[in-house]
Amino acid sequence: MNTAATSLAPSADLPVDQYMDAVGRAARVAATAMAASSTAARNNVLLALAGQIRAHAGELKARNEADIIAAEKNGLAAPMVDRLRLTDKVIETMAESCEQVAALPDPVGEITNVRRRPTGISVGQMRVPIGVFGMIYESRPNVTIEAASLAIKSGNACVLRGGSEAIHSNLALWKLVQAALTQVGLPANAVQLVQTTDRAAVGQLIAMPQYVDVIIPRGGKGLIERISNEARVPVIKHLDGNCHTYVDSEVDLDLAVKVTDNAKTQKYSPCNATESLLVHAAQAAAFLPRIGKVFADKGVEMRADARAKAILADVPGAKVVEATEQDWFEEYLAPVIAVKVVDSLDEAIAHINHYGSHHTDAILTTNHPNGMRFIREVDSSSVMINASTRFADGFEYGLGAEIGISTDKFHARGPVGLEGLTSLKFVVLGQGEVRS
Amino acid sequence: MNTAATSLAPSADLPVDQYMDAVGRAARVAATAMAASSTAARNNVLLALAGQIRAHAGELKARNEADIIAAEKNGLAAPMVDRLRLTDKVIETMAESCEQVAALPDPVGEITNVRRRPTGISVGQMRVPIGVFGMIYESRPNVTIEAASLAIKSGNACVLRGGSEAIHSNLALWKLVQAALTQVGLPANAVQLVQTTDRAAVGQLIAMPQYVDVIIPRGGKGLIERISNEARVPVIKHLDGNCHTYVDSEVDLDLAVKVTDNAKTQKYSPCNATESLLVHAAQAAAFLPRIGKVFADKGVEMRADARAKAILADVPGAKVVEATEQDWFEEYLAPVIAVKVVDSLDEAIAHINHYGSHHTDAILTTNHPNGMRFIREVDSSSVMINASTRFADGFEYGLGAEIGISTDKFHARGPVGLEGLTSLKFVVLGQGEVRS
């Protein structure tokens, strides 16, 4: 058994810079053991963790109560307090998610694309863990289990930094993760939680390339911008989701109304909800009154350009205001949508590439070449034909898990599952070949 | 035809910050047109470029002569001056390489992994150009053509910053690239050369994430470290190549001598040459005298630990000195090799992961489990069984091209060909599905 398996977590009594350095070093040591561990061992940790969570539900709720009381005392808004809460249902869902992650195929170890070269060597690529990832998040303590379970499954080590408002819940959850790792004989330091709420710890976590290979932040745009600007390692992130639905010149109107409605109103807060609606001029008179009625009935405010406004103004009950330039950039996360009439597919694509956030954009069309041009030329992490932007999600895509969504073009793009936590290295299998 | 096709390159008479901003903006505009261009158009540009290079060989040599004269006047070392020189042979090789890149499969547009989901949508991934890359290099002007041809083939735009010592040659080559692009109707600004030798231009090029998606530096370790530290965009790079060859406890000694010899002595300057030799104690007495004789005959100095030194000291003519701690980290790029006896595969793997540069490492063994453990657990961009580390190369791997080598774990790792200049975006093909 590796000595890493029995190492203790660094003491949070150290000065923060020494503490974080020790955390980083311990993560790197644990990562090596995790990369060498078997699929069975990692799955057994996840099953053990599910058991730990169920067995300690009462303790989890008690520790969570300390966070809730503090949050209420600090005047945290009620929806934020709700997101903090570990109910029986949330606890059971955490346990089940560990079992589901255990059941996923192991992303690690596969060797692909092996080809014999004229020199005699065979060259392929092996999928291996990235190493150590840092995760910075706010509020919901179940993210601790999500991140820990994906780290374990993918053979990585991780350093978790949750919000200070959830520190008691996170510490209690972490204790169970450590217990599950130890139970199976894998290093407890494969998952570390930053035990101090000192903000300097975050600054250091994102600037230790010798220990941390990638940072995954989850939270508001401000947090993510700050982290991206200061990070000295790659960041898997999306800043915002200004998603578009474009209704093309040739379209099934019933389909367009149904899909646009879903893309905007099925939920207002997710990053994959549509925020801007573009309508080809040839369909504006037919389509806008119908979707305008849906939005009017659901209380969705429409920020429209002059042409769209002229049509929407006639819809009974519609809240229509004139769009400003800023509206085309906006991620409302609310019952508000920007609406614009465009004269061509080219104009739609140019608008999306200029004002969008490169997250998710959809075309609704019956014209095949238009659909293919749209998905090729719109420069976004997810592009869709005749589907709701709300589908942009790791589970809906069949990734089995989602650690985040990336709008960057490097490495992982779009919803990031286990594969985004891995890397490919080249393997060469020879019989003594030399280069001439 | 896109208006981008006829846009002029920004004027280098502008102040450097305005100039680089204009270069970046022009690259982004050109990148959009390149991403939408056809395979045939991009291949035609490459064939036209080959023709341009051959047709203007005399002019290229004349402009190159200006660089050579300046270099000699500035006292540049003779090998550096040689690398600058555009001979007839170098010129013909540049033209041929354009034709070879044209003949490669188009990496862009392919949709893979399409799977039907239970909701009815089909989800796949489309390979698309990254967008804009910046390339920073020194000396050899033919890199201008290499980078330009890979940018064109992969549907990207690029901004090239060559060394000031090659500015006349690079400007002349760039003129031909622009002519080839224009000839086919693709935007001339798809390939831009930074026309000023002002160093501030580099600082700005690597800090314009709004225009540049990735930086690829080629040059000395100092240059690459500086760029990595200051870049605000991802960098595809390797700092150095401290490659290892490990001779295992069970090994074919003839094979081990042949491969180790090749890995070290076939060429001393490449980054994939072996710099450290590890030998299992069980083979040290049999193997070291034989390889020691090869090295002695070729004048390779051996920096050996105590156990290796005791054996190698008996080899007639061997230059053996005691290794210092620093030797285990060293990339000599010279007829020098570090030699160490280890007691186990574990020790070899730990040594490589600690002292190595995560570039390329090989095990020579007849033991299957040992080989598999080595390639799994050694954390390097290329890992090999029974082959010379000198094979770590885009052409040897069959990538058809090489824009650089990456020792990072993100995105591209190991030799980087056309695929490293692309990204995968998710495509969703639906028939009006909505999320419930």
Side-chain angles (χ1 to χ4, degrees):
Chain A
M1 185 48 50
N2 200 301
T3 55
T6 51
S7 294
L8 291 174
S11 164
D13 296 337
L14 291 166
V16 67
D17 58 330
Q18 290 175 37
Y19 168 61
M20 289 306 294
D21 192 78
V23 165
R25 196 170 327 112
R28 186 58 86 203
V29 170
T32 301
M34 289 299 286
S37 68
S38 70
T39 305
R42 285 179 274 122
N43 287 340
N44 285 339
V45 174
L46 294 169
L47 299 177
L49 179 54
Q52 290 278 353
I53 290 169
R54 289 195 181 101
H56 295 85
E59 197 180 319
L60 287 174
K61 284 194 284 186
R63 299 308 300 144
N64 180 243
E65 196 55 30
D67 288 329
I68 300 286
I69 289 167
E72 284 170 342
K73 206 173 112 191
N74 294 334
L76 210 66
M80 292 292 280
V81 175
D82 268 353
R83 291 170 65 196
L84 261 185
R85 206 177 297 270
L86 291 179
T87 61
D88 284 326
K89 183 160 171 268
V90 171
I91 289 170
E92 176 55 25
T93 302
M94 286 193 293
E96 281 170 14
S97 80
C98 292
E99 291 163 341
Q100 283 160 8
V101 171
L104 291 174
D106 187 354
V108 163
E110 179 189 45
I111 301 182
T112 51
N113 298 320
V114 182
R115 272 171 233 171
R116 178 66 70 95
R117 300 290 306 150
T119 49
I121 59 171
S122 292
V123 180
Q125 288 180 292
M126 182 192 282
R127 195 166 285 285
V128 291
I130 284 246
V132 177
F133 70 85
M135 181 120 180
I136 298 163
Y137 52 104
E138 294 167 335
S139 203
R140 293 189 308 130
N142 41 329
V143 174
T144 304
I145 294 299
E146 268 179 57
S149 62
L150 296 181
I152 292 162
K153 179 77 189 188
S154 56
N156 286 290
C158 68
V159 179
L160 309 178
R161 161 68 183 221
S164 55
E165 70 286 353
I167 186 74
H168 297 100
S169 313
N170 287 336
L171 284 168
L173 288 165
W174 178 42
K175 219 178 96 184
L176 304 182
V177 176
Q178 291 179 298
L181 284 159
T182 306
Q183 204 174 317
V184 176
L186 286 181
N189 285 339
V191 176
Q192 290 182 84
L193 184 80
V194 175
Q195 296 176 68
T196 168
T197 55
D198 188 333
R199 284 185 158 230
V202 174
Q204 202 170 336
L205 177 60
I206 65 177
M208 309 193 292
Q210 69 278 33
Y211 300 134
V212 176
D213 297 294
V214 56
I215 292 287
I216 306 171
R218 273 211 220 163
K221 187 173 176 177
L223 172 79
I224 293 170
E225 261 174 345
R226 203 165 61 242
I227 288 169
S228 302
N229 287 337
E230 293 168 20
R232 296 289 313 280
V233 297
V235 178
I236 291 180
K237 64 165 191 303
H238 71 276
L239 289 176
D240 48 16
N242 174 17
C243 302
H244 295 73
T245 296
Y246 164 59
V247 178
D248 194 25
S249 54
E250 299 171 33
V251 71
D252 175 333
L253 281 174
D254 291 342
L255 178 153
V257 171
K258 181 179 70 164
V259 172
T260 305
D261 174 19
N262 183 267
K264 179 65 215 176
T265 73
Q266 194 250 348
K267 261 194 180 178
Y268 295 112
S269 60
C271 58
N272 55 18
T274 284
E275 304 289 11
S276 288
L277 171 64
L278 304 179
V279 183
H280 192 282
Q283 293 294 346
F287 175 71
L288 282 175
R290 290 186 59 183
I291 195 70
K293 168 135 194 357
V294 172
F295 288 156
D297 291 349
K298 296 191 176 179
V300 176
E301 178 181 319
M302 292 164 263
R303 308 262 176 98
D305 76 332
R307 284 198 283 178
K309 190 164 172 249
I311 299 169
L312 290 166
D314 293 338
V315 175
K319 286 196 279 183
V320 188
V321 298
E322 188 142 331
T324 65
E325 172 77 1
Q326 184 54 34
D327 278 304
W328 311 124
F329 288 110
E330 208 64 50
E331 181 186 35
Y332 301 112
L333 303 176
V336 182
I337 190 166
V339 186
K340 185 179 166 66
V341 174
V342 295
D343 288 310
S344 65
L345 174 62
D346 283 305
E347 188 185 341
I349 293 172
H351 179 99
I352 293 169
N353 284 340
H354 179 71
Y355 293 102
S357 59
H358 309 288
H359 191 297
T360 301
D361 302 289
I363 183 174
L364 309 181
T365 188
T366 54
N367 181 296
H368 182 70
N370 285 2
M372 294 310 288
R373 268 201 62 205
F374 183 93
I375 62 172
R376 175 158 180 194
E377 296 181 25
V378 168
D379 187 23
S380 297
S381 70
S382 287
V383 285
M384 304 183 167
I385 301 177
N386 294 334
S388 168
T389 57
R390 288 280 292 113
F391 279 115
D393 173 283
F395 295 92
E396 294 291 342
Y397 283 3
L399 307 183
E402 183 183 293
I403 188 94
I405 288 186
S406 163
T407 54
D408 288 320
K409 295 175 180 179
F410 235 57
H411 193 69
R413 191 176 186 188
V416 182
L418 289 167
E419 203 172 282
L421 297 175
T422 66
S423 168
L424 290 172
K425 65 181 175 190
F426 280 100
V427 294
V428 174
L429 307 174
Q431 300 84 31
E433 286 81 0
V434 295
R435 187 154 168 196
S436 53
Chain B
M1 189 44 54
N2 201 302
T3 54
T6 52
S7 294
L8 292 174
S11 163
D13 297 336
L14 291 167
V16 67
D17 58 331
Q18 290 175 37
Y19 169 63
M20 288 306 294
D21 192 78
V23 165
R25 197 171 325 113
R28 187 57 86 202
V29 170
T32 302
M34 289 299 286
S37 68
S38 70
T39 305
R42 283 179 275 122
N43 287 340
N44 285 338
V45 173
L46 294 169
L47 299 177
L49 178 53
Q52 291 278 353
I53 290 169
R54 290 195 181 101
H56 295 87
E59 197 180 318
L60 286 175
K61 285 194 283 186
R63 299 308 299 144
N64 181 242
E65 196 56 32
D67 287 330
I68 300 287
I69 290 168
E72 285 171 343
K73 205 173 112 192
N74 294 335
L76 211 66
M80 291 293 280
V81 175
D82 269 352
R83 291 171 65 196
L84 260 185
R85 209 178 294 271
L86 291 179
T87 60
D88 283 326
K89 181 158 173 272
V90 171
I91 289 170
E92 176 53 25
T93 303
M94 285 195 291
E96 280 170 15
S97 80
C98 292
E99 291 164 341
Q100 284 161 7
V101 171
L104 291 173
D106 187 354
V108 163
E110 179 189 46
I111 302 182
T112 51
N113 299 321
V114 181
R115 272 170 233 170
R116 178 66 69 95
R117 300 290 306 150
T119 49
I121 60 171
S122 292
V123 180
Q125 288 181 292
M126 182 192 281
R127 194 166 285 285
V128 290
I130 284 248
V132 177
F133 69 85
M135 181 118 181
I136 297 163
Y137 52 104
E138 293 167 335
S139 204
R140 293 190 309 128
N142 42 329
V143 175
T144 303
I145 294 298
E146 267 179 57
S149 63
L150 296 181
I152 292 162
K153 180 76 187 191
S154 56
N156 286 290
C158 68
V159 178
L160 307 179
R161 161 68 184 221
S164 55
E165 70 287 353
I167 186 74
H168 297 100
S169 314
N170 287 337
L171 283 168
L173 288 165
W174 178 41
K175 219 179 96 183
L176 305 182
V177 176
Q178 290 179 300
L181 284 159
T182 307
Q183 204 174 318
V184 177
L186 286 182
N189 286 338
V191 177
Q192 290 182 85
L193 184 80
V194 175
Q195 296 177 66
T196 169
T197 54
D198 187 333
R199 283 183 160 233
V202 173
Q204 202 170 338
L205 177 59
I206 65 178
M208 308 193 291
Q210 70 277 32
Y211 300 135
V212 176
D213 297 295
V214 57
I215 292 288
I216 306 171
R218 274 212 220 162
K221 188 173 174 175
L223 172 79
I224 293 169
E225 261 174 344
R226 203 166 59 244
I227 287 169
S228 302
N229 287 337
E230 293 168 18
R232 296 289 313 280
V233 298
V235 178
I236 290 180
K237 63 165 191 304
H238 71 275
L239 288 176
D240 48 16
N242 175 16
C243 303
H244 295 73
T245 295
Y246 164 60
V247 178
D248 195 25
S249 54
E250 299 171 31
V251 72
D252 175 334
L253 280 174
D254 292 340
L255 178 151
V257 172
K258 180 179 72 163
V259 172
T260 305
D261 175 19
N262 183 266
K264 179 64 214 177
T265 74
Q266 193 250 348
K267 262 193 179 179
Y268 296 112
S269 59
C271 58
N272 55 19
T274 283
E275 304 289 9
S276 287
L277 171 63
L278 304 179
V279 183
H280 193 282
Q283 294 293 347
F287 175 70
L288 282 175
R290 291 186 58 183
I291 195 71
K293 169 140 193 355
V294 172
F295 288 156
D297 291 349
K298 297 191 176 180
V300 176
E301 177 181 321
M302 291 163 263
R303 308 264 176 96
D305 75 334
R307 283 198 283 178
K309 192 164 171 249
I311 300 170
L312 290 166
D314 294 337
V315 176
K319 287 194 280 183
V320 187
V321 298
E322 187 140 332
T324 64
E325 172 79 0
Q326 184 54 33
D327 278 304
W328 311 125
F329 288 110
E330 209 63 51
E331 181 186 34
Y332 301 112
L333 303 175
V336 181
I337 190 166
V339 187
K340 185 179 166 67
V341 174
V342 296
D343 286 310
S344 64
L345 174 62
D346 283 305
E347 189 185 343
I349 293 172
H351 179 100
I352 294 169
N353 285 339
H354 180 71
Y355 293 102
S357 60
H358 309 288
H359 190 296
T360 300
D361 301 290
I363 182 173
L364 309 181
T365 188
T366 54
N367 182 296
H368 183 70
N370 286 2
M372 293 311 288
R373 267 199 63 204
F374 183 91
I375 61 172
R376 176 160 179 191
E377 296 181 25
V378 168
D379 187 23
S380 297
S381 70
S382 287
V383 285
M384 303 183 167
I385 300 178
N386 295 334
S388 167
T389 57
R390 289 280 293 113
F391 279 115
D393 171 284
F395 294 93
E396 294 292 343
Y397 283 1
L399 307 183
E402 182 182 291
I403 188 93
I405 288 186
S406 164
T407 53
D408 287 320
K409 296 176 178 177
F410 234 57
H411 192 70
R413 192 175 185 187
V416 183
L418 289 167
E419 203 171 283
L421 298 174
T422 66
S423 167
L424 290 171
K425 65 181 175 190
F426 280 100
V427 293
V428 175
L429 308 173
Q431 301 83 32
E433 285 81 1
V434 295
R435 186 153 169 199
S436 52

